[in-house]
Amino acid sequence: MEWIQKEAKTLKKYMSSYVSDLLPDEYTCFGQCNKLTSYDVTRDAKEMWTFRLFCKKACQNDEVKTYQDCLDFCSELCRKNSIHEDQSLNQKWMDRSPACPETSRRCYGVCVAACEFRHAKKEFSDEASKAEGGDNG
């Protein structure tokens, strides 16, 4: 009986680690993205997956260390500058940011929601140091 409990714990750990982006668990960043971009909200399967991707990029970006870094990341991800005439055709096609202003606005909204979730969970280094008493200000 003990080995069954051990295997169940192993399976639960695996499911949490590798499949959490598919589960509707609102207590994870990916789960929050799933909720924000569900078909019930978007009413369009293509939009559902597109915006879910933008949200999850903010969830899994380990390069952002602060809440402000995360917001800057979302701005860069969703609000690209206009393409200059001197850029080659390949560079134009490689720029994958949303072209439509409405799509860009929605992209930014779901991306920022992921940043806010991470901020609330104190996942950024500046918040971790404050929680540990490293910043008295």
Side-chain angles (χ1 to χ4, degrees), residues 3-76:
W3 71 270
I4 292 175
Q5 291 175 336
K6 183 179 177 185
E7 291 300 315
K9 285 181 182 179
T10 302
L11 181 60
K12 184 177 179 181
K13 183 178 178 183
Y14 169 80
M15 293 296 286
S16 295
S17 299
Y18 297 102
V19 192
S20 66
D21 61 328
L22 301 175
L23 300 174
D25 181 3
E26 294 177 31
Y27 300 104
T28 66
C29 193
F30 283 179
Q32 189 70 19
C33 290
N34 290 347
K35 179 183 174 188
L36 290 170
T37 59
S38 70
Y39 185 79
D40 293 338
V41 174
T42 62
R43 295 289 182 211
D44 181 330
K46 182 180 175 188
E47 283 188 11
M48 176 183 80
W49 289 107
T50 300
F51 291 112
R52 188 169 291 173
L53 175 67
F54 292 132
C55 185
K56 289 181 178 182
K57 282 182 179 279
C59 287
Q60 64 190 19
N61 188 340
D62 293 332
E63 293 179 14
V64 297
K65 301 297 183 202
T66 67
Y67 179 64
Q68 185 59 51
D69 287 347
C70 193
L71 296 178
D72 293 344
F73 169 77
C74 290
S75 186
E76 184 179 326

